[in-house]
Amino acid sequence: MQDRYRLPRTVVPDRYDLVLEPDLEAASFIGSAEVAVEVHERIDEIVVNALELSIDEASLRSDDGVRIDVTDITLDEELQRATLTLSTPAAAGAWTL
């Protein structure tokens, strides 16, 4: 049984590269993120924390150029998470989200 208060350990972040453009008048921001992750087992979705975030698009990229698009993004406001559904399963290894 998965602990509802902890993210699954199938995908673990190693490094975050963030670009943020704040809009001070609107008290909001837009931006992008590249997250180096280690995938520990074959996956078809990724669960991330997403409190008050809107995610427009995402993909998973391997060091050897394989790209897997995210085909669906489901927000769970109660758990403050987003589930990113992959177009094809991703193998274990190093990826960039």
Side-chain angles (χ1 to χ4, degrees):
M1 181 174 163
Q2 179 180 328
D3 181 348
R4 67 181 268 123
Y5 300 104
R6 294 184 56 88
L7 292 175
R9 301 298 295 164
T10 52
V11 179
V12 177
D14 289 330
R15 186 187 73 250
Y16 295 84
D17 292 322
L18 306 173
V19 175
L20 301 175
E21 298 176 31
D23 181 341
L24 299 178
E25 290 180 13
S28 66
F29 67 90
I30 61 172
S32 63
E34 283 197 3
V35 183
V37 298
E38 186 68 30
V39 174
H40 291 286
E41 61 187 59
R42 185 177 168 96
I43 57 165
D44 58 9
E45 67 181 20
I46 300 170
V47 180
V48 298
N49 288 317
L51 176 61
E52 297 181 3
L53 288 181
S54 173
I55 302 171
D56 296 326
E57 64 181 279
S59 64
L60 200 59
R61 196 176 61 247
S62 70
D63 289 342
D64 60 1
V66 173
R67 178 186 164 119
I68 300 174
D69 290 324
V70 170
T71 57
D72 188 49
I73 301 168
T74 305
L75 294 174
D76 183 331
E77 290 185 26
E78 179 187 350
L79 293 179
Q80 303 172 354
R81 294 184 184 156
T83 300
L84 313 176
T85 304
L86 304 176
S87 60
T88 59
W95 293 84
T96 301
L97 175 62

